Amino acid sequence: MTGIELPLAVFMIAALYGAVGHGGASGYLAILALLGVNHQTASTTALVLNLFVAGVSFIAYQRAGHFRPALLAPLLITSVPFAFLGGLLKVSMPVYNILLALALAAFALRMLAPRLQTLNEQPTETPALKATLPMGAVLGLISGIVGVGGGIFLSPLMIIRRWATPKVTSATAAGFILANSLAGLGGRLMQDAPILDGFPALIVAGVLGGWLGSYLGARLAPSPVLCRLLALVLMIAACKLMLRLS
């Protein structure tokens, strides 16, 4: 995958993930891992892309009126410092591959349940601090270690626990990903983590794809067909990563 192929893949991933308020880090990691990119370089590159795409998604959902600051703030209190801590940690390649495969599989299962996109139009539960504070810490730590923003775990949890509507969930996830990607990136940069060559073209592709996907996602319901297709791609990538361990 060279030339325009990698930026095109980033554009497509950013558009698909952006539609549900995500930055796409797990998708970028899957592509880069299958290309044989060093996991330190891949995770740092994915975090920077995540930062741009999640930022675009957050703006789109906020402008559409779906952002609720009171829902996001408690999660960030613990997630941001733990994401920074996770970014400082170095894990072995087998551990990294297991964590990444689990992250990809989790998102795949999330996308295979499109009915969750239409549930909870009238949420019945307000999250308590005793639930959001520890959840933020756990998700932040995992996010920093793996090199994702944590939205792939946060979104299904929020919807299943009836904390928010799907679009409010997407807005919250985008803000969560933005903050934790920045924190995790800060930890990695302190370790002089490298970034993939030709990165400016990937940023442009990611921003354009994220803008397209998040605009459609904030104004229209995401396509169940695209959700299932993305789930299939992520599950295949997760299986390939697990096969490397055998």
Side-chain angles (χ1 to χ4, degrees):
M1 186 179 293
T2 57
I4 197 173
E5 294 179 356
L6 183 55
L8 181 59
V10 168
F11 173 85
M12 295 174 64
I13 291 170
L16 290 170
Y17 278 69
V20 291
H22 293 176
S26 56
Y28 313 136
L29 286 170
I31 296 295
L32 296 175
L34 295 177
L35 288 176
V37 177
N38 174 273
H39 75 279
Q40 289 291 337
T41 301
S43 56
T44 304
T45 301
L47 270 179
V48 178
L49 284 171
N50 218 36
L51 192 62
F52 280 93
V53 177
V56 171
S57 297
F58 179 74
I59 291 172
Y61 275 94
Q62 191 274 335
R63 287 182 175 177
H66 302 302
F67 178 54
R68 304 289 183 269
L71 190 58
L72 176 62
L75 291 165
L76 294 185
I77 290 174
T78 51
S79 70
V80 170
F82 275 88
F84 180 81
L85 175 62
L88 289 173
L89 299 177
K90 291 184 178 181
V91 298
S92 66
M93 182 61 78
V95 172
Y96 175 83
N97 282 339
I98 290 173
L99 290 175
L100 178 53
L102 291 175
L104 293 171
F107 197 18
L109 293 174
R110 160 75 171 87
M111 303 304 285
L112 281 173
R115 66 184 184 85
L116 294 179
Q117 297 288 339
T118 58
L119 287 177
N120 304 327
E121 291 304 328
Q122 298 295 329
T124 59
E125 296 183 11
T126 300
L129 289 178
K130 65 180 181 180
T132 54
L133 291 178
M135 179 182 293
V138 172
L139 297 186
L141 184 63
I142 295 174
S143 301
I145 293 175
V146 178
V148 299
I152 59 175
F153 309 108
L154 178 64
S155 291
L157 287 173
M158 287 185 64
I159 293 177
I160 291 171
R161 301 187 71 169
R162 299 178 63 81
W163 286 356
T165 64
K167 289 189 182 295
V168 171
T169 293
S170 294
T172 305
F176 187 83
I177 292 166
L178 181 61
N180 288 308
S181 294
L182 185 60
L185 182 62
R188 289 179 180 277
L189 291 180
M190 289 185 65
Q191 304 294 322
D192 296 322
I195 296 178
L196 193 67
D197 292 337
F199 191 65
L202 300 184
I203 291 180
V204 173
V207 168
L208 291 176
W211 175 83
L212 175 62
S214 60
Y215 177 82
L216 295 175
R219 307 290 176 176
L220 303 171
S223 168
V225 174
L226 291 179
C227 290
R228 293 190 184 103
L229 178 60
L230 178 57
L232 176 62
V233 172
L234 292 175
M235 192 60 76
I236 291 174
C239 291
K240 287 187 175 182
L241 287 170
M242 293 302 293
L243 287 174
R244 289 184 179 183
L245 304 174
S246 59

